[in-house]
Amino acid sequence: MAAPALSAAFLASLVEVVEAFTIVLAVGTVRGWRPALIGTGCALGALALLVLLLGPALTLIPLQALQLVIGVLLMMFGLRWLRKAILRAAGFIALHDEDAAFAKETGALQAGDSGTASRRDWLAGLTAFKAVILEGIEVVFIVLAVSAGRGLLWPASLGALAACALVLALGLILRKPLARVPENTLKFAVGVMISAFGIYWTGEGLGVSWPGADLAIPALAALLLASALTLVAAFRERSVEMTA
């Protein structure tokens, strides 16, 4: 069970960290690295505190009720990602572009280049803080959700930290948006894995006895992946017929 939890947390965190990194990079490029790093550091501190507070609190909730609530939330979360990934893969909505997001953010920061230096630094730090805290909350939720009730907080946290370290290392080396990271493909994979966890936890909460116990998770993921790829092919065929 540790491997699926670690990999799900790693992939989901990788997507969120790339998006947060793009905004922090824009802040550092336009306003300087001091406000960018201060905002990022404050956000990471707040997220760490959130994990320390919520992690032990989850142990106070009855396991079956916790599994049901977490399972439903994970399904809602994962299926939302999977839906968007299917529509992107089928060409119905545009692919996410980190270069475009970087250009948009730097443009917004440059357009607001008024006021005193201290005010500009404060706004820049707040921009970095907001980006990291918003993306980070999703990471925290996934880490807590995939580890709830099974003593897997450390493997899931390790997956999230590994994703952060990887993005940070690549960012320091390249110093540009990580546009080559196949983010939309990652979102497809994350949507499948998180949805599989959600279905599994929901079943556990409802008292379902899964064949193979934890081995049901990769089986559910494979079924979801096959269904999603079938939908992509069907949507693409439908799109071709509509444009013909």
Side-chain angles (χ1 to χ4, degrees):
M1 187 67 175
L6 190 150
S7 57
F10 174 80
L11 291 175
S13 300
L14 194 62
V15 172
E16 302 296 347
V17 174
V18 166
E19 294 183 358
F21 172 79
T22 298
I23 297 176
V24 173
L25 180 63
V27 171
T29 301
V30 176
R31 302 294 193 197
W33 287 105
R34 184 173 179 272
L37 293 177
I38 289 176
T40 300
C42 290
L44 291 176
L47 291 170
L49 181 61
L50 187 63
V51 172
L52 291 175
L53 290 175
L54 292 182
L58 292 178
T59 61
L60 303 177
I61 304 174
L63 179 58
Q64 193 165 6
L66 180 63
Q67 289 172 332
L68 181 58
V69 172
I70 291 295
V72 172
L73 290 174
L74 278 178
M75 278 199 298
M76 293 172 61
F77 193 83
L79 290 174
R80 177 173 63 89
W81 273 22
L82 188 55
R83 172 183 169 275
K84 288 185 178 180
I86 290 171
L87 292 176
R88 285 193 178 104
F92 281 93
I93 58 177
L95 296 175
H96 186 77
D97 188 340
E98 288 301 327
D99 282 333
F102 178 79
K104 179 181 178 181
E105 194 63 37
T106 53
L109 288 167
Q110 289 168 345
D113 194 13
S114 60
T116 63
S118 59
R119 181 177 181 275
R120 292 197 301 268
D121 287 349
W122 185 84
L123 290 174
L126 184 61
T127 299
F129 176 85
K130 183 179 70 173
V132 175
I133 201 75
L134 290 178
E135 303 297 343
I137 285 174
E138 294 197 20
V139 172
V140 169
F141 169 75
I142 291 171
V143 167
L144 293 176
V146 300
S147 62
R150 292 298 182 94
L152 297 174
L153 183 60
W154 285 113
S157 299
L158 181 62
L161 290 173
C164 292
L166 177 60
V167 172
L168 181 60
L170 290 175
L172 290 175
I173 294 171
L174 300 176
R175 293 191 179 183
K176 61 180 182 179
L178 302 179
R180 293 186 179 181
V181 175
E183 185 176 345
N184 292 291
T185 302
L186 285 175
K187 285 184 176 178
F188 202 108
V190 170
V192 167
M193 294 189 68
I194 297 300
S195 298
F197 268 98
I199 295 171
Y200 181 84
W201 285 122
T202 301
E204 289 272 287
L206 293 173
V208 174
S209 179
W210 292 101
D214 293 343
L215 293 177
I217 295 175
L220 288 169
L223 180 61
L224 285 166
L225 178 60
S227 300
L229 292 176
T230 301
L231 285 173
V232 169
F235 286 155
R236 283 178 177 172
E237 183 177 350
R238 178 64 174 169
S239 179
V240 171
E241 291 176 354
M242 291 173 63
T243 56

